[in-house]
Amino acid sequence: MNKKPVLDAVRAIVIGSVAGAFLCAAFLGVLALAFVSAESIPQGLLSPLVIAVSVLSAFAAGYIAAKISKKRGLLFGAAAGMLLFALLLFSGLAISNKATEPAQSGVRLLVMVLSGSVGGVLSVSKKTKSKHK
């Protein structure tokens, strides 16, 4: 029996969130290269792409956090998505001089927590294998 379940839970959530942040940075780097090589970029395309990258990164964070903990996928996935949102929000505020729009931040928080939850649930769900001889 594990004597430190809270520390193990925090460790899983932090590792999942940091992995999600690295994945987010990689996706954004690829998008930046694509935008630099493109002739013209529609301004309306930037916000949906950033939300999509946030969703994919939060899904990965939740998946990894729940895979490490091997239990409570919904809770650990949501927590990893929320921590990843906080990391992205505070890093964005530290770099940018202007405040983010509260509605856009609220939508991003919602989709990242939901995506992290889905990733966590998919990570711990067992697929039943039937053996046929």
Side-chain angles (χ1 to χ4, degrees):
M1 185 173 224
N2 198 353
K3 295 180 181 180
K4 300 176 187 175
V6 174
L7 287 177
D8 288 343
V10 169
R11 182 179 68 85
I13 292 167
V14 169
I15 290 172
S17 297
V18 169
F22 280 121
L23 187 64
C24 182
F27 280 145
L28 290 176
V30 169
L31 285 176
L33 285 174
F35 289 158
V36 166
S37 65
E39 294 291 323
S40 65
I41 305 161
Q43 289 296 325
L45 186 64
L46 293 176
S47 183
L49 282 176
V50 170
I51 293 289
V53 166
S54 298
V55 166
L56 290 173
S57 301
F59 179 86
Y63 190 90
I64 292 168
K67 191 59 101 176
I68 290 171
S69 70
K70 299 181 178 100
K71 58 185 176 187
R72 295 189 184 122
L74 184 68
L75 177 66
F76 286 177
M82 190 176 298
L83 180 59
L84 181 60
F85 168 78
L87 288 172
L88 295 178
L89 178 70
F90 291 130
S91 64
L93 289 175
I95 292 172
S96 177
N97 293 347
K98 61 181 182 177
T100 60
E101 188 176 322
Q104 185 179 9
S105 293
V107 168
R108 183 173 294 154
L109 172 65
L110 180 66
V111 297
M112 287 180 77
V113 169
L114 288 174
S115 179
S117 300
V118 170
V121 167
L122 290 178
S123 176
V124 297
S125 67
K126 304 280 187 202
K127 292 184 180 179
T128 58
K129 294 182 181 179
S130 60
K131 294 184 178 182
H132 297 284
K133 287 189 175 184

